[in-house]
Amino acid sequence: MVSVKMVQWCQSSAKATGRFKMLWSILTGAMIGLIASSLTDRENRVGCIGRVLVGLLGAWVGQALFGNWGPIVADMAVIPSILGAILLLVLFTDRD
């Protein structure tokens, strides 16, 4: 028989897992943005939050354009995500 405490524990652990997935996605997006900005020589243009946004948006664009192949971290295919982030940086930042 399932007790009320067991159900409450399962619900709280599911919320914690969701928070962990979100944190892991943000860290992975930051790493993808960091790699893409270092490959395009646009390291000082976007900042820390910009790198996270470029990484997350680049993952979305890259997987939409190039598919889901290569290593997958935090539900993001790494190589297409980096390619998508590079594409976004080249299109939307100045080189100066």
Side-chain angles (χ1 to χ4, degrees), residues 28-41 43 51 78 82-83 85-86 89:
T28 304
M31 292 304 297
I32 289 169
L34 178 68
I35 292 168
S37 65
S38 67
L39 289 174
T40 57
D41 292 330
E43 294 178 21
R51 283 191 187 114
V78 175
I82 292 171
L83 293 175
I86 288 171
L89 283 172

Side-chain angles (χ1 to χ4, degrees), residues 45-74:
R45 297 280 179 208
V46 292
C48 184
I49 295 174
R51 283 191 187 114
V52 172
L53 292 176
V54 164
L56 293 174
L57 290 174
W60 182 71
V61 169
Q63 290 179 22
L65 292 176
F66 305 116
N68 294 331
W69 52 273
I72 295 178
V73 177

Side-chain angles (χ1 to χ4, degrees), residues 1-8:
M1 184 168 184
V2 177
S3 68
V4 175
K5 290 189 179 204
M6 177 80 90
V7 171
Q8 289 174 347

